[in-house]
mmCIF file of all heavy atoms in Angstrom:
data_model
loop_
_atom_site.group_PDB
_atom_site.id
_atom_site.type_symbol
_atom_site.label_atom_id
_atom_site.label_comp_id
_atom_site.label_asym_id
_atom_site.label_seq_id
_atom_site.Cartn_x
_atom_site.Cartn_y
_atom_site.Cartn_z
ATOM 1 N N THR A 150 0.772 -1.150 0.041
ATOM 2 C CA THR A 150 -0.053 -0.020 0.057
ATOM 3 C C THR A 150 0.870 1.307 0.027
ATOM 4 O O THR A 150 0.503 2.284 -0.684
ATOM 5 C CB THR A 150 -0.868 0.038 1.310
ATOM 6 O OG1 THR A 150 -1.644 -1.189 1.264
ATOM 7 C CG2 THR A 150 -1.900 1.228 1.177
ATOM 8 N N GLY A 151 1.989 1.228 0.701
ATOM 9 C CA GLY A 151 2.790 2.430 0.887
ATOM 10 C C GLY A 151 3.879 2.609 -0.226
ATOM 11 O O GLY A 151 4.457 3.608 -0.263
ATOM 12 N N GLY A 152 4.164 1.496 -0.890
ATOM 13 C CA GLY A 152 5.130 1.635 -2.027
ATOM 14 C C GLY A 152 6.580 1.175 -1.494
ATOM 15 O O GLY A 152 6.869 0.950 -0.330
ATOM 16 N N GLN A 153 7.441 1.186 -2.531
ATOM 17 C CA GLN A 153 8.804 0.755 -2.372
ATOM 18 C C GLN A 153 9.666 1.604 -1.314
ATOM 19 O O GLN A 153 10.606 1.167 -0.746
ATOM 20 C CB GLN A 153 9.530 0.647 -3.652
ATOM 21 C CG GLN A 153 8.850 -0.317 -4.641
ATOM 22 C CD GLN A 153 8.834 -1.716 -4.139
ATOM 23 O OE1 GLN A 153 9.884 -2.153 -3.574
ATOM 24 N NE2 GLN A 153 7.794 -2.376 -4.394
ATOM 25 N N VAL A 154 9.243 2.929 -1.124
ATOM 26 C CA VAL A 154 9.996 3.781 -0.292
ATOM 27 C C VAL A 154 10.058 3.238 1.193
ATOM 28 O O VAL A 154 10.935 3.566 1.875
ATOM 29 C CB VAL A 154 9.470 5.189 -0.416
ATOM 30 C CG1 VAL A 154 10.085 6.147 0.600
ATOM 31 C CG2 VAL A 154 9.630 5.744 -1.825
ATOM 32 N N LEU A 155 8.958 2.458 1.413
ATOM 33 C CA LEU A 155 8.922 1.886 2.877
ATOM 34 C C LEU A 155 10.073 1.068 3.155
ATOM 35 O O LEU A 155 10.507 0.973 4.271
ATOM 36 C CB LEU A 155 7.654 1.178 3.038
ATOM 37 C CG LEU A 155 6.410 2.132 3.300
ATOM 38 C CD1 LEU A 155 5.224 1.250 3.522
ATOM 39 C CD2 LEU A 155 6.489 3.192 4.410
ATOM 40 N N TYR A 156 10.551 0.377 2.156
ATOM 41 C CA TYR A 156 11.858 -0.409 2.354
ATOM 42 C C TYR A 156 13.141 0.475 2.887
ATOM 43 O O TYR A 156 13.786 0.036 3.608
ATOM 44 C CB TYR A 156 12.230 -1.169 1.181
ATOM 45 C CG TYR A 156 11.217 -2.395 0.829
ATOM 46 C CD1 TYR A 156 10.543 -2.429 -0.350
ATOM 47 C CD2 TYR A 156 11.107 -3.395 1.718
ATOM 48 C CE1 TYR A 156 9.591 -3.449 -0.669
ATOM 49 C CE2 TYR A 156 10.219 -4.565 1.452
ATOM 50 C CZ TYR A 156 9.481 -4.423 0.241
ATOM 51 O OH TYR A 156 8.704 -5.484 -0.024
ATOM 52 N N VAL A 157 13.119 1.595 2.208
ATOM 53 C CA VAL A 157 14.233 2.481 2.518
ATOM 54 C C VAL A 157 13.972 2.982 3.942
ATOM 55 O O VAL A 157 15.006 3.121 4.724
ATOM 56 C CB VAL A 157 14.358 3.665 1.533
ATOM 57 C CG1 VAL A 157 15.507 4.687 1.882
ATOM 58 C CG2 VAL A 157 14.499 3.177 0.094
ATOM 59 N N VAL A 158 12.672 3.345 4.294
ATOM 60 C CA VAL A 158 12.528 3.777 5.716
ATOM 61 C C VAL A 158 12.879 2.645 6.721
ATOM 62 O O VAL A 158 13.417 2.848 7.706
ATOM 63 C CB VAL A 158 10.949 4.213 5.890
ATOM 64 C CG1 VAL A 158 10.588 4.445 7.237
ATOM 65 C CG2 VAL A 158 10.657 5.452 4.977
ATOM 66 N N ALA A 159 12.467 1.474 6.308
ATOM 67 C CA ALA A 159 12.651 0.299 7.199
ATOM 68 C C ALA A 159 14.265 0.020 7.365
ATOM 69 O O ALA A 159 14.735 -0.215 8.526
ATOM 70 C CB ALA A 159 12.062 -0.999 6.611
ATOM 71 N N ILE A 160 14.962 0.212 6.265
ATOM 72 C CA ILE A 160 16.471 0.123 6.446
ATOM 73 C C ILE A 160 17.012 1.129 7.270
ATOM 74 O O ILE A 160 17.968 0.835 8.124
ATOM 75 C CB ILE A 160 17.126 0.085 4.950
ATOM 76 C CG1 ILE A 160 16.734 -1.162 4.239
ATOM 77 C CG2 ILE A 160 18.661 0.268 5.088
ATOM 78 C CD1 ILE A 160 17.055 -1.189 2.805
ATOM 79 N N ALA A 161 16.599 2.410 7.016
ATOM 80 C CA ALA A 161 17.113 3.442 7.936
ATOM 81 C C ALA A 161 16.736 3.214 9.390
ATOM 82 O O ALA A 161 17.563 3.467 10.371
ATOM 83 C CB ALA A 161 16.608 4.852 7.478
ATOM 84 N N LEU A 162 15.578 2.818 9.650
ATOM 85 C CA LEU A 162 14.940 2.568 11.048
ATOM 86 C C LEU A 162 15.841 1.433 11.607
ATOM 87 O O LEU A 162 16.332 1.491 12.798
ATOM 88 C CB LEU A 162 13.635 2.247 10.965
ATOM 89 C CG LEU A 162 12.899 1.955 12.354
ATOM 90 C CD1 LEU A 162 13.027 3.182 13.224
ATOM 91 C CD2 LEU A 162 11.371 1.441 12.119
ATOM 92 N N PHE A 163 16.101 0.413 10.841
ATOM 93 C CA PHE A 163 16.816 -0.807 11.392
ATOM 94 C C PHE A 163 18.181 -0.403 11.704
ATOM 95 O O PHE A 163 18.828 -0.734 12.825
ATOM 96 C CB PHE A 163 16.916 -1.982 10.220
ATOM 97 C CG PHE A 163 17.725 -3.047 10.721
ATOM 98 C CD1 PHE A 163 17.180 -4.073 11.657
ATOM 99 C CD2 PHE A 163 18.947 -3.308 10.184
ATOM 100 C CE1 PHE A 163 18.031 -5.011 12.042
ATOM 101 C CE2 PHE A 163 19.618 -4.426 10.592
ATOM 102 C CZ PHE A 163 19.156 -5.324 11.451
ATOM 103 N N LEU A 164 18.877 0.303 10.848
ATOM 104 C CA LEU A 164 20.252 0.850 11.043
ATOM 105 C C LEU A 164 20.367 1.770 12.267
ATOM 106 O O LEU A 164 21.276 1.590 13.238
ATOM 107 C CB LEU A 164 20.819 1.479 9.923
ATOM 108 C CG LEU A 164 22.303 1.925 9.876
ATOM 109 C CD1 LEU A 164 23.232 0.809 10.196
ATOM 110 C CD2 LEU A 164 22.661 2.746 8.625
ATOM 111 N N MET A 165 19.272 2.592 12.420
ATOM 112 C CA MET A 165 19.269 3.550 13.575
ATOM 113 C C MET A 165 19.191 2.780 14.857
ATOM 114 O O MET A 165 19.902 3.079 15.807
ATOM 115 C CB MET A 165 18.086 4.465 13.312
ATOM 116 C CG MET A 165 17.989 5.417 14.598
ATOM 117 S SD MET A 165 16.622 6.592 14.211
ATOM 118 C CE MET A 165 15.210 5.574 14.190
ATOM 119 N N TRP A 166 18.325 1.821 14.860
ATOM 120 C CA TRP A 166 18.089 1.071 16.198
ATOM 121 C C TRP A 166 19.264 0.036 16.412
ATOM 122 O O TRP A 166 19.522 -0.117 17.651
ATOM 123 C CB TRP A 166 16.828 0.229 16.090
ATOM 124 C CG TRP A 166 15.664 1.094 16.445
ATOM 125 C CD1 TRP A 166 14.741 1.780 15.713
ATOM 126 C CD2 TRP A 166 15.346 1.465 17.881
ATOM 127 N NE1 TRP A 166 13.963 2.563 16.518
ATOM 128 C CE2 TRP A 166 14.273 2.297 17.842
ATOM 129 C CE3 TRP A 166 15.886 1.094 19.089
ATOM 130 C CZ2 TRP A 166 13.730 2.871 18.904
ATOM 131 C CZ3 TRP A 166 15.235 1.803 20.262
ATOM 132 C CH2 TRP A 166 14.296 2.542 20.189
ATOM 133 N N VAL A 167 19.953 -0.496 15.472
ATOM 134 C CA VAL A 167 21.100 -1.189 15.674
ATOM 135 C C VAL A 167 22.214 -0.391 16.459
ATOM 136 O O VAL A 167 22.875 -0.759 17.374
ATOM 137 C CB VAL A 167 21.644 -1.870 14.526
ATOM 138 C CG1 VAL A 167 23.040 -2.412 14.589
ATOM 139 C CG2 VAL A 167 20.722 -3.009 13.992
ATOM 140 N N LEU A 168 22.478 0.883 15.803
ATOM 141 C CA LEU A 168 23.439 1.792 16.439
ATOM 142 C C LEU A 168 23.060 2.201 17.910
ATOM 143 O O LEU A 168 23.825 2.352 18.745
ATOM 144 C CB LEU A 168 23.572 2.901 15.528
ATOM 145 C CG LEU A 168 24.278 2.665 14.209
ATOM 146 C CD1 LEU A 168 24.100 3.883 13.226
ATOM 147 C CD2 LEU A 168 25.649 2.221 14.290
ATOM 148 N N MET A 169 21.665 2.408 18.054
ATOM 149 C CA MET A 169 21.237 2.917 19.410
ATOM 150 C C MET A 169 21.409 1.765 20.362
ATOM 151 O O MET A 169 21.863 1.964 21.526
ATOM 152 C CB MET A 169 19.841 3.368 19.418
ATOM 153 C CG MET A 169 19.870 4.814 18.784
ATOM 154 S SD MET A 169 18.230 5.700 19.109
ATOM 155 C CE MET A 169 16.982 4.748 18.198
ATOM 156 N N ILE A 170 21.055 0.555 19.992
ATOM 157 C CA ILE A 170 21.165 -0.578 20.940
ATOM 158 C C ILE A 170 22.671 -0.810 21.158
ATOM 159 O O ILE A 170 23.091 -1.098 22.380
ATOM 160 C CB ILE A 170 20.580 -1.808 20.346
ATOM 161 C CG1 ILE A 170 19.056 -1.731 20.271
ATOM 162 C CG2 ILE A 170 20.976 -3.146 21.101
ATOM 163 C CD1 ILE A 170 18.341 -2.759 19.572
ATOM 164 N N GLU A 171 23.565 -0.669 20.177
ATOM 165 C CA GLU A 171 25.030 -0.788 20.399
ATOM 166 C C GLU A 171 25.510 0.210 21.461
ATOM 167 O O GLU A 171 26.256 -0.026 22.315
ATOM 168 C CB GLU A 171 25.787 -0.602 19.042
ATOM 169 C CG GLU A 171 27.276 -0.828 19.265
ATOM 170 C CD GLU A 171 28.008 0.322 19.534
ATOM 171 O OE1 GLU A 171 27.628 1.462 19.286
ATOM 172 O OE2 GLU A 171 29.151 0.104 20.195
ATOM 173 N N ARG A 172 25.034 1.480 21.316
ATOM 174 C CA ARG A 172 25.448 2.550 22.198
ATOM 175 C C ARG A 172 24.937 2.216 23.633
ATOM 176 O O ARG A 172 25.565 2.478 24.599
ATOM 177 C CB ARG A 172 24.834 3.874 21.859
ATOM 178 C CG ARG A 172 25.534 4.462 20.590
ATOM 179 C CD ARG A 172 26.947 4.981 20.801
ATOM 180 N NE ARG A 172 27.956 3.888 20.816
ATOM 181 C CZ ARG A 172 29.160 3.988 21.281
ATOM 182 N NH1 ARG A 172 29.609 5.025 21.891
ATOM 183 N NH2 ARG A 172 30.012 3.000 21.209
ATOM 184 N N TYR A 173 23.734 1.651 23.826
ATOM 185 C CA TYR A 173 23.163 1.382 25.131
ATOM 186 C C TYR A 173 24.098 0.243 25.672
ATOM 187 O O TYR A 173 24.403 0.288 26.906
ATOM 188 C CB TYR A 173 21.758 0.922 25.138
ATOM 189 C CG TYR A 173 20.713 2.051 25.197
ATOM 190 C CD1 TYR A 173 19.976 2.568 24.179
ATOM 191 C CD2 TYR A 173 20.683 2.702 26.485
ATOM 192 C CE1 TYR A 173 19.059 3.557 24.223
ATOM 193 C CE2 TYR A 173 19.737 3.839 26.526
ATOM 194 C CZ TYR A 173 19.051 4.200 25.445
ATOM 195 O OH TYR A 173 18.113 5.204 25.622
ATOM 196 N N TRP A 174 24.451 -0.681 24.871
ATOM 197 C CA TRP A 174 25.342 -1.740 25.295
ATOM 198 C C TRP A 174 26.642 -1.192 25.753
ATOM 199 O O TRP A 174 27.110 -1.641 26.813
ATOM 200 C CB TRP A 174 25.497 -2.824 24.232
ATOM 201 C CG TRP A 174 26.570 -3.961 24.564
ATOM 202 C CD1 TRP A 174 27.902 -3.849 24.130
ATOM 203 C CD2 TRP A 174 26.409 -4.952 25.348
ATOM 204 N NE1 TRP A 174 28.492 -4.992 24.698
ATOM 205 C CE2 TRP A 174 27.678 -5.613 25.493
ATOM 206 C CE3 TRP A 174 25.209 -5.509 26.032
ATOM 207 C CZ2 TRP A 174 27.751 -6.856 26.180
ATOM 208 C CZ3 TRP A 174 25.427 -6.570 26.729
ATOM 209 C CH2 TRP A 174 26.697 -7.322 26.855
ATOM 210 N N PHE A 175 27.130 -0.333 25.047
ATOM 211 C CA PHE A 175 28.368 0.303 25.391
ATOM 212 C C PHE A 175 28.281 0.973 26.739
ATOM 213 O O PHE A 175 29.153 0.909 27.576
ATOM 214 C CB PHE A 175 28.948 1.177 24.304
ATOM 215 C CG PHE A 175 30.278 1.831 24.657
ATOM 216 C CD1 PHE A 175 31.532 1.272 24.603
ATOM 217 C CD2 PHE A 175 30.295 3.269 25.200
ATOM 218 C CE1 PHE A 175 32.651 1.898 24.890
ATOM 219 C CE2 PHE A 175 31.455 3.880 25.609
ATOM 220 C CZ PHE A 175 32.640 3.150 25.406
ATOM 221 N N LEU A 176 27.306 1.806 26.881
ATOM 222 C CA LEU A 176 27.077 2.568 28.242
ATOM 223 C C LEU A 176 26.851 1.755 29.502
ATOM 224 O O LEU A 176 27.382 2.011 30.504
ATOM 225 C CB LEU A 176 25.910 3.542 28.006
ATOM 226 C CG LEU A 176 26.162 4.780 27.325
ATOM 227 C CD1 LEU A 176 24.887 5.516 26.883
ATOM 228 C CD2 LEU A 176 27.141 5.743 28.138
ATOM 229 N N THR A 177 26.243 0.510 29.149
ATOM 230 C CA THR A 177 25.815 -0.235 30.366
ATOM 231 C C THR A 177 26.850 -1.339 30.615
ATOM 232 O O THR A 177 26.969 -1.802 31.807
ATOM 233 C CB THR A 177 24.532 -0.927 30.165
ATOM 234 O OG1 THR A 177 24.405 -1.609 28.976
ATOM 235 C CG2 THR A 177 23.474 0.160 30.254
ATOM 236 N N ALA A 178 27.491 -1.872 29.622
ATOM 237 C CA ALA A 178 28.424 -2.913 29.821
ATOM 238 C C ALA A 178 29.926 -2.669 29.639
ATOM 239 O O ALA A 178 30.739 -3.175 30.468
ATOM 240 C CB ALA A 178 28.100 -4.194 28.840
ATOM 241 N N GLU A 179 30.253 -1.859 28.577
ATOM 242 C CA GLU A 179 31.672 -1.642 28.259
ATOM 243 C C GLU A 179 32.160 -0.404 29.004
ATOM 244 O O GLU A 179 33.416 -0.491 29.551
ATOM 245 C CB GLU A 179 31.813 -1.441 26.807
ATOM 246 C CG GLU A 179 31.307 -2.605 26.027
ATOM 247 C CD GLU A 179 32.144 -3.852 26.118
ATOM 248 O OE1 GLU A 179 33.341 -3.730 26.349
ATOM 249 O OE2 GLU A 179 31.668 -4.971 26.191
ATOM 250 N N PHE A 180 31.442 0.559 29.055
ATOM 251 C CA PHE A 180 32.011 1.857 29.700
ATOM 252 C C PHE A 180 32.270 1.788 31.105
ATOM 253 O O PHE A 180 33.391 2.269 31.604
ATOM 254 C CB PHE A 180 31.104 3.064 29.382
ATOM 255 C CG PHE A 180 31.790 4.374 29.859
ATOM 256 C CD1 PHE A 180 32.814 4.934 29.205
ATOM 257 C CD2 PHE A 180 31.189 5.032 31.048
ATOM 258 C CE1 PHE A 180 33.264 6.049 29.708
ATOM 259 C CE2 PHE A 180 31.878 6.155 31.437
ATOM 260 C CZ PHE A 180 32.938 6.723 30.776
ATOM 261 N N PRO A 181 31.523 1.011 31.965
ATOM 262 C CA PRO A 181 31.846 0.923 33.301
ATOM 263 C C PRO A 181 33.189 0.251 33.520
ATOM 264 O O PRO A 181 33.900 0.669 34.459
ATOM 265 C CB PRO A 181 30.737 0.029 33.882
ATOM 266 C CG PRO A 181 29.621 0.437 33.110
ATOM 267 C CD PRO A 181 30.150 0.494 31.822
ATOM 268 N N ARG A 182 33.608 -0.729 32.688
ATOM 269 C CA ARG A 182 34.907 -1.354 32.824
ATOM 270 C C ARG A 182 35.927 -0.347 32.387
ATOM 271 O O ARG A 182 36.992 -0.240 33.046
ATOM 272 C CB ARG A 182 34.928 -2.651 31.968
ATOM 273 C CG ARG A 182 34.298 -3.811 32.480
ATOM 274 C CD ARG A 182 34.662 -5.039 31.777
ATOM 275 N NE ARG A 182 34.216 -5.177 30.459
ATOM 276 C CZ ARG A 182 33.120 -5.752 30.004
ATOM 277 N NH1 ARG A 182 32.281 -6.470 30.843
ATOM 278 N NH2 ARG A 182 32.794 -5.771 28.647
ATOM 279 N N MET A 183 35.559 0.443 31.411
ATOM 280 C CA MET A 183 36.608 1.437 30.934
ATOM 281 C C MET A 183 36.876 2.473 31.948
ATOM 282 O O MET A 183 37.935 2.824 32.312
ATOM 283 C CB MET A 183 36.151 2.019 29.593
ATOM 284 C CG MET A 183 36.955 3.076 28.950
ATOM 285 S SD MET A 183 36.240 3.666 27.521
ATOM 286 C CE MET A 183 37.439 4.960 27.101
ATOM 287 N N ARG A 184 35.752 2.863 32.568
ATOM 288 C CA ARG A 184 35.762 3.917 33.579
ATOM 289 C C ARG A 184 36.644 3.445 34.812
ATOM 290 O O ARG A 184 37.413 4.055 35.379
ATOM 291 C CB ARG A 184 34.364 4.317 34.085
ATOM 292 C CG ARG A 184 34.297 5.232 35.144
ATOM 293 C CD ARG A 184 32.774 5.506 35.557
ATOM 294 N NE ARG A 184 32.666 6.208 36.689
ATOM 295 C CZ ARG A 184 32.898 5.689 37.986
ATOM 296 N NH1 ARG A 184 33.092 4.521 38.150
ATOM 297 N NH2 ARG A 184 32.811 6.505 38.945
ATOM 298 N N ASN A 185 36.413 2.267 35.186
ATOM 299 C CA ASN A 185 37.039 1.633 36.387
ATOM 300 C C ASN A 185 38.597 1.532 36.065
ATOM 301 O O ASN A 185 39.416 1.716 36.990
ATOM 302 C CB ASN A 185 36.564 0.248 36.715
ATOM 303 C CG ASN A 185 35.117 0.252 37.270
ATOM 304 O OD1 ASN A 185 34.680 1.384 37.774
ATOM 305 N ND2 ASN A 185 34.309 -0.790 37.153
ATOM 306 N N SER A 186 38.892 1.194 34.816
ATOM 307 C CA SER A 186 40.366 1.102 34.342
ATOM 308 C C SER A 186 41.002 2.404 34.495
ATOM 309 O O SER A 186 42.079 2.517 34.942
ATOM 310 C CB SER A 186 40.481 0.509 33.024
ATOM 311 O OG SER A 186 41.723 0.634 32.531
ATOM 312 N N ILE A 187 40.274 3.507 33.955
ATOM 313 C CA ILE A 187 40.865 4.794 34.068
ATOM 314 C C ILE A 187 40.994 5.376 35.464
ATOM 315 O O ILE A 187 42.037 5.830 35.880
ATOM 316 C CB ILE A 187 39.906 5.852 33.205
ATOM 317 C CG1 ILE A 187 39.995 5.439 31.707
ATOM 318 C CG2 ILE A 187 40.355 7.166 33.399
ATOM 319 C CD1 ILE A 187 39.013 6.228 30.844
ATOM 320 N N VAL A 188 39.925 5.111 36.352
ATOM 321 C CA VAL A 188 39.998 5.469 37.694
ATOM 322 C C VAL A 188 41.243 4.796 38.426
ATOM 323 O O VAL A 188 41.907 5.422 39.159
ATOM 324 C CB VAL A 188 38.769 5.269 38.435
ATOM 325 C CG1 VAL A 188 38.889 5.471 39.948
ATOM 326 C CG2 VAL A 188 37.653 6.249 37.864
ATOM 327 N N ALA A 189 41.417 3.457 38.194
ATOM 328 C CA ALA A 189 42.520 2.718 38.682
ATOM 329 C C ALA A 189 43.782 3.221 38.325
ATOM 330 O O ALA A 189 44.776 3.297 39.044
ATOM 331 C CB ALA A 189 42.335 1.313 38.463
#
């Protein structure tokens, strides 16, 4: 119903969410270790 442009919206949305999930992962799992290393 919406046309082929919706595929492009879906790709942009997918990429955006993959990047945001990666950033949340970095903030919650990776950065605390990095922070502790710097403080130590």
Side-chain angles (χ1 to χ4, degrees):
T150 306
Q153 300 297 318
V154 175
L155 286 179
Y156 288 119
V157 181
V158 172
I160 290 168
L162 181 64
F163 177 75
L164 184 59
M165 178 177 66
W166 274 100
V167 164
L168 292 171
M169 285 195 292
I170 290 169
E171 185 274 332
R172 288 287 82 199
Y173 272 110
W174 172 261
F175 179 78
L176 277 168
T177 57
E179 301 295 323
F180 186 73
R182 285 195 293 260
M183 181 182 175
R184 180 183 168 278
N185 291 341
S186 171
I187 293 171
V188 170

